[in-house]
Amino acid sequence: MTTVTITEYETRLYWQGERGAVLTSDQAPPLPIGRPLAEPGTADDGRWAPETLLVGAVEGRTLVAFMDRAREADVPVLFYQSSAMARVVGTRGQAPHLTDLIVRPHVAVSTEADAEAVRLIFAELPAHCFPSSIIQLTPRIEPVVETWHVHPGAEGRDDTRLALPAT
């Protein structure tokens, strides 16, 4: 018997005049949406551009997929932080399009063996977490992986202040 999992994500967008809106979901607080950041002459009014939301969604998906795979590989993660960026290129007579979508995770683990496992996870992650049917541009993941020595008695605790970078 084949098992099929179907997950639905639903949002609602409420226009607020001009080019502003509020994005809502049953699972999250309202999020103000505004003009794309690259649009000339637009003021920063504290609203998220749709393009920035896309970058944030890819960055968040990378975190979730990485943590799932690290847990499956029994790799304890001491620290995770990331940044992400996308480039949208537009030329006269051609619609703007994404040329780059890069996620730069910074991860710390306690052993070099765990660091190698993390590097392998990141190498395989784009194909597993971003199938071409969802997004046409496969995000590039550029991880920084460190090994940190953990102080005795700190293992199993969720307090990264007890871990120090290896020297």
Side-chain angles (χ1 to χ4, degrees), residues 61 65 69 120-132 134 138 141:
R61 183 70 188 109
R69 292 199 174 269
L120 180 61
I121 291 168
F122 278 123
E124 297 173 346
L125 204 57
H128 293 288
C129 111
F130 301 105
S132 63
I134 293 176
T138 301
I141 300 175

Side-chain angles (χ1 to χ4, degrees), residues 55-56 58-67 70 77-85 101-109 115 117-126 129-130 139-148:
V55 174
V58 169
E59 186 175 14
R61 183 70 188 109
T62 300
L63 165 68
V64 170
F66 168 75
M67 289 300 188
V77 176
L78 301 174
F79 173 86
Y80 186 107
Q81 180 175 303
S82 65
S83 64
M85 63 84 63
L101 185 47
I102 303 167
V103 180
R104 295 184 174 109
H106 184 163
V107 177
V109 293
V118 165
R119 290 181 188 101
L120 180 61
I121 291 168
F122 278 123
E124 297 173 346
L125 204 57
C129 111
F130 301 105
R140 191 169 69 220
I141 300 175
E142 301 175 343
V144 172
V145 182
E146 297 180 324
T147 55
W148 288 3

Side-chain angles (χ1 to χ4, degrees), residues 8-14 23-31:
E8 293 182 349
Y9 301 92
E10 183 177 343
T11 60
R12 289 166 300 285
L13 190 68
Y14 299 97
L23 182 68
T24 65
S25 167
D26 292 337
Q27 291 80 33
L31 184 63

Side-chain angles (χ1 to χ4, degrees), residues 88-97 99:
V88 176
V89 175
T91 58
R92 201 176 278 270
Q94 189 179 35
H97 60 282
T99 60

